[in-house]
Amino acid sequence: MNIICTTLNAKYIHTSLSIRYLKAYAAPEFKVDICEYTIKDPTINIVSDLYNKDPDIIGFSCYIWNIEETIKVISILKKIKPELIIILGGPEVTYDTNEWLDRIPEADFIVIGEGEATFKKLLQELHGKKDYSTVPGIAYRAAEKNKIQPQASKLDLRELPSPFRFEEDVPHLAKRVVYVETSRGCPFSCQFCLSSIEVGVRYFDREKIKDDIRYLMKNGAKTIKFVDRTFNISRSYALEMFQFLIDEHLPGTVFQFEITGDIMRPEVIEFLNQNAPKGLFRFEIGVQSTNDPTNELVMRKQNWEKLTRTVNMVRDGRKIDQHLDLIAGLPEEDYNTFKKTFNDVFALRPEELQLGFLKMLRGTGLRLSAEKHGYIFMDQSPYEILGNNILSFDDIVRIKQVEDVLEKYWNDHRMDHTVEYLVSHAFPSPFDFFQEFGEFWESKGWSRIGHQLEDLFRRLAEFLHSKENINHDVIESLMKYDYLASHKYKPRKPWWETSLSKEDRSSIYKAIADNPKLLGNDFVQLSLSEKDLHKHTMIERVSLDLHTGIESTTILITYFQPSGEGARLFTLSEQGLEENAS
């Protein structure tokens, strides 16, 4: 039999861990080929590629982000090759299995839950007696009726073979995210999350995991993401793994973890702050809401004081970037309480703040109790909510406007100094800035067109010019700082009209070339000639000295290193320039 395991990833850089586990577990009895596509690939291209491989059996790994596109592929495949056996698995089809059997008549079998042993047993029956009643954890049709067979006991994860030792993966490791699993399950019961359904936490063999990571790094993997739902459940285990990664990491490797912030011990953070190389680790922390009644309703225990302590300690250590998550639309969180949640979390100044919207995942407690809170949501994946008893669709639309500009102006870090000033001094709160700007952005139709860097600055400037009672000179100066600092090479045409004439610039260049000490010792060491200044620098008048924070008319000199290593900014007060001239 020619067997293929496949999936449609959200992006090319993603890899599927699940189909690699299936391949590894099925060997050596069955040879399984892996094929990965993306949800952006044309359906007919995916179908053609799979058809040309002449499979007898295809297993599809199904998730909320790919199920609709997967169904299209399955439908065409079955039309052109009716004898093809199609097996579905994954979290999306594990729940409401009867519904999936009815909706997807082209699917011959559905593997429910943990799939490695079930998939192999099913392959044995397909190859042998075809007595499917002996296969636990599958759904199929028999005598025109749906049959759903209960799952077997959970696997001993310590016995699972490695999903990483396939030669065909090696050429791609450096270009894609590699997902690593050291445990399955979650100790918490958050009612919006699928992980809450599996009781208890099971661990893989630690030494095998370490060997896999050594192998991945040796073969070029650069981004390794741990998919454990709570990596830091065990303090001793987390410390052991952190120490291993610090000791044995190779240059350029980054490790990402999902951690629970309020159970992170201060001594663990202190250890990381003292021993971890900068940039080696990245933490993802799900905050979701700071509204206590909401957290109680979704059975989410969260100590905000301890979570804040963790985020602040990590941030102050300057070693680890943090990605914090929020979910809009949880029970009893209306527009105003979500605004407070947003401001609470933004006050921590995470490197990245993801604002997501509640998805009513199949199998979760919240979906089962949707009527209680008046939820309406999309019928098809990703089942995103459209409103509930206290959050209208109008509110959701407004919060989506916040999400849009948050992503562009905070998470991408294009103008950190500017945004910091705006949220701290120019608007009542961070949420107010992003909301007002988001509404302006939408009113201009900008959400439907593309943007280059210059466009983002021009559009922010246009929005701010519509506002009164803010210090436009200081804000424009900060925007200029941010714009110039973001370039590796000298920009051809900045987004503003220069405030200096050609004669003014020539005069300043000459003064600096004659007396480079005007810009300090760091500038002197560059040993730039007047010709170099004209060729590799930009000069602009601003109303703020960024180094001191003092409002004053200042000359900003930006040197763009020919090597492309980035811009270096220097400032000179006009008073200093006048004193030099005299």
Side-chain angles (χ1 to χ4, degrees):
M1 290 189 297
N2 186 4
I3 306 165
I4 291 176
C5 278
T6 186
T7 194
L8 280 63
N9 295 318
K11 297 179 180 178
Y12 167 75
I13 62 169
H14 297 168
T15 53
S16 173
L17 183 58
S18 61
I19 60 176
R20 286 170 171 79
Y21 269 118
L22 296 177
K23 175 181 172 72
Y25 199 88
E29 186 175 347
F30 299 101
K31 180 182 180 297
V32 176
D33 291 325
I34 286 176
C35 298
E36 290 180 280
Y37 308 95
T38 77
I39 56 175
K40 297 295 184 182
D41 291 336
T43 300
I44 195 62
N45 291 7
I46 299 173
V47 170
S48 298
D49 190 63
L50 288 171
Y51 178 81
N52 287 335
K53 297 179 187 301
D54 193 26
D56 300 297
I57 299 171
I58 301 182
F60 288 86
S61 188
C62 303
Y63 301 84
I64 59 167
W65 64 77
N66 72 12
I67 185 63
E68 299 303 329
E69 299 304 317
T70 299
I71 291 172
K72 295 175 187 177
V73 171
I74 293 169
S75 175
I76 299 175
L77 277 171
K78 204 70 168 183
K79 285 182 178 180
I80 58 179
K81 192 171 183 178
E83 71 277 15
L84 177 65
I85 296 171
I86 291 177
I87 305 170
L88 307 184
E92 179 59 12
V93 294
T94 283
Y95 305 95
D96 301 333
T97 311
N98 268 316
E99 182 180 328
W100 287 119
L101 284 174
D102 294 340
R103 183 181 172 191
I104 313 175
E106 299 86 357
D108 297 287
F109 300 93
I110 294 177
V111 171
I112 301 168
E114 199 166 45
E116 290 90 350
T118 299
F119 182 67
K120 185 170 185 176
K121 175 63 175 171
L122 179 56
L123 292 180
Q124 289 168 343
E125 290 302 323
L126 286 166
H127 193 261
K129 297 179 179 179
K130 296 182 172 55
D131 182 2
Y132 308 123
S133 65
T134 65
V135 184
I138 63 167
Y140 61 105
R141 302 174 196 86
E144 299 184 357
K145 292 183 179 180
N146 294 344
K147 291 198 66 174
I148 299 176
Q149 290 163 194
Q151 299 176 62
S153 57
K154 297 295 183 181
L155 294 171
D156 183 348
L157 300 181
R158 295 169 297 180
E159 301 301 321
L160 283 186
S162 170
F164 302 112
R165 306 302 176 106
F166 306 127
E167 290 185 8
E168 61 267 32
D169 281 338
V170 171
H172 310 288
L173 289 176
K175 296 175 283 187
R176 306 179 75 181
V177 178
V178 179
Y179 297 95
V180 172
E181 194 178 27
T182 73
S183 66
R184 290 181 184 174
C186 182
F188 304 111
S189 304
C190 305
Q191 295 298 287
F192 52 81
C193 180
L194 278 176
S195 298
S196 65
I197 298 172
E198 181 176 345
V199 179
V201 179
R202 293 169 293 145
Y203 283 91
F204 288 77
D205 183 274
R206 297 186 189 187
E207 297 309 313
K208 287 184 179 179
I209 292 292
K210 291 176 183 178
D211 283 342
D212 280 338
I213 293 172
R214 292 185 185 104
Y215 171 87
L216 291 168
M217 291 191 296
K218 179 183 177 181
N219 285 282
K222 296 300 182 185
T223 303
I224 297 175
K225 182 171 182 178
F226 290 81
V227 295
D228 305 59
R229 300 310 300 167
T230 302
F231 185 80
N232 60 315
I233 300 169
S234 165
R235 171 184 171 276
S236 60
Y237 173 72
L239 272 173
E240 179 183 337
M241 289 301 294
F242 287 143
Q243 183 71 69
F244 161 71
L245 298 173
I246 290 169
D247 291 342
E248 299 199 27
H249 76 276
L250 297 181
T253 311
V254 176
F255 299 95
Q256 301 182 22
F257 309 88
E258 293 186 29
I259 70 163
T260 299
D262 58 350
I263 66 170
M264 191 73 160
R265 300 290 299 172
E267 57 266 30
V268 176
I269 305 173
E270 290 172 0
F271 166 80
L272 294 172
N273 287 344
Q274 293 171 13
N275 297 283
K278 181 176 175 58
L280 179 64
F281 298 142
R282 174 182 169 86
F283 286 168
E284 297 182 20
I285 303 175
V287 181
Q288 320 312 5
S289 175
T290 63
N291 188 37
D292 289 337
T294 293
N295 285 327
E296 290 175 11
L297 280 169
V298 297
M299 299 173 65
R300 181 176 178 80
K301 297 179 180 179
Q302 180 166 270
N303 186 314
W304 174 244
E305 182 180 348
K306 290 183 178 179
L307 189 151
T308 300
R309 178 191 65 193
T310 292
V311 175
N312 286 337
M313 286 184 68
V314 172
R315 184 195 63 220
D316 293 344
R318 299 182 180 276
K319 296 289 189 70
I320 301 168
D321 282 352
Q322 298 179 96
H323 168 120
L324 271 55
D325 288 334
L326 299 179
I327 298 179
L330 291 170
E332 298 306 314
E333 178 118 275
D334 62 13
Y335 178 85
N336 289 322
T337 58
F338 182 77
K339 175 180 177 178
K340 180 181 181 301
T341 283
F342 182 97
N343 286 329
D344 287 343
V345 178
F346 195 87
L348 302 177
R349 297 300 191 269
E351 283 75 18
E352 189 171 321
L353 176 57
Q354 181 174 322
L355 197 173
F357 293 81
L358 179 63
K359 296 171 177 60
M360 305 296 279
L361 302 180
R362 293 177 183 273
T364 59
L366 205 50
R367 179 162 175 146
L368 296 174
S369 63
E371 284 188 25
K372 179 179 178 182
H373 304 287
Y375 276 111
I376 53 174
F377 55 93
M378 299 175 182
D379 292 330
Q380 295 180 326
S381 65
Y383 315 115
E384 192 169 291
I385 68 158
L386 306 171
N388 63 21
N389 57 343
I390 63 170
L391 192 73
S392 68
F393 186 66
D394 284 338
D395 293 332
I396 291 173
V397 169
R398 294 183 69 198
I399 297 172
K400 282 186 177 291
Q401 293 167 351
V402 173
E403 177 197 25
D404 192 13
V405 293
L406 175 74
E407 197 66 32
K408 293 178 175 68
Y409 286 86
W410 178 257
N411 289 342
D412 284 348
H413 296 285
R414 290 180 168 110
M415 46 186 87
D416 285 351
H417 296 100
T418 304
V419 173
E420 182 61 44
Y421 181 89
L422 291 170
V423 302
S424 300
H425 302 289
F427 288 82
S429 76
F431 188 89
D432 288 297
F433 162 66
F434 290 110
Q435 182 69 87
E436 291 186 37
F437 188 20
E439 291 173 354
F440 187 87
W441 185 280
E442 182 64 29
S443 72
K444 293 291 184 178
W446 294 335
S447 60
R448 295 181 289 279
I449 58 177
H451 325 283
Q452 295 182 341
L453 183 64
E454 287 78 6
D455 297 324
L456 294 173
F457 280 85
R458 289 192 185 97
R459 287 165 186 167
L460 178 59
E462 184 176 340
F463 164 65
L464 294 172
H465 286 151
S466 71
K467 310 300 293 184
E468 298 179 355
N469 301 319
I470 61 175
N471 193 326
H472 291 280
D473 289 339
V474 167
I475 295 170
E476 186 170 291
S477 298
L478 289 166
M479 290 177 68
K480 290 176 181 178
Y481 273 112
D482 283 329
Y483 177 83
L484 293 169
S486 67
H487 281 76
K488 291 184 177 180
Y489 299 99
K490 185 176 179 179
R492 293 184 177 181
K493 184 174 175 58
W495 55 270
W496 67 87
E497 294 295 328
T498 184
S499 60
L500 292 167
S501 67
K502 185 176 180 180
E503 291 76 17
D504 288 338
R505 291 198 300 274
S506 295
S507 175
I508 295 170
Y509 278 139
K510 187 176 187 311
I512 295 172
D514 290 343
N515 186 8
K517 288 185 178 180
L518 286 170
L519 299 183
N521 291 331
D522 287 345
F523 184 83
V524 171
Q525 293 174 9
L526 296 175
S527 301
L528 299 179
S529 66
E530 189 170 347
K531 181 180 179 181
D532 292 331
L533 290 171
H534 279 277
K535 185 177 181 180
H536 297 299
T537 70
M538 286 183 63
I539 300 182
E540 184 57 35
R541 182 181 286 115
V542 294
S543 301
L544 179 75
D545 186 333
L546 187 64
H547 301 297
T548 65
I550 297 173
E551 290 186 45
S552 62
T553 304
T554 301
I555 304 299
L556 175 63
I557 300 95
T558 307
Y559 171 57
F560 298 93
Q561 302 176 84
S563 61
E565 294 179 14
R568 297 186 63 180
L569 278 63
F570 303 88
T571 57
L572 171 63
S573 68
E574 286 208 337
Q575 180 182 353
L577 190 64
E578 291 169 0
E579 290 174 354
N580 179 73
S582 62

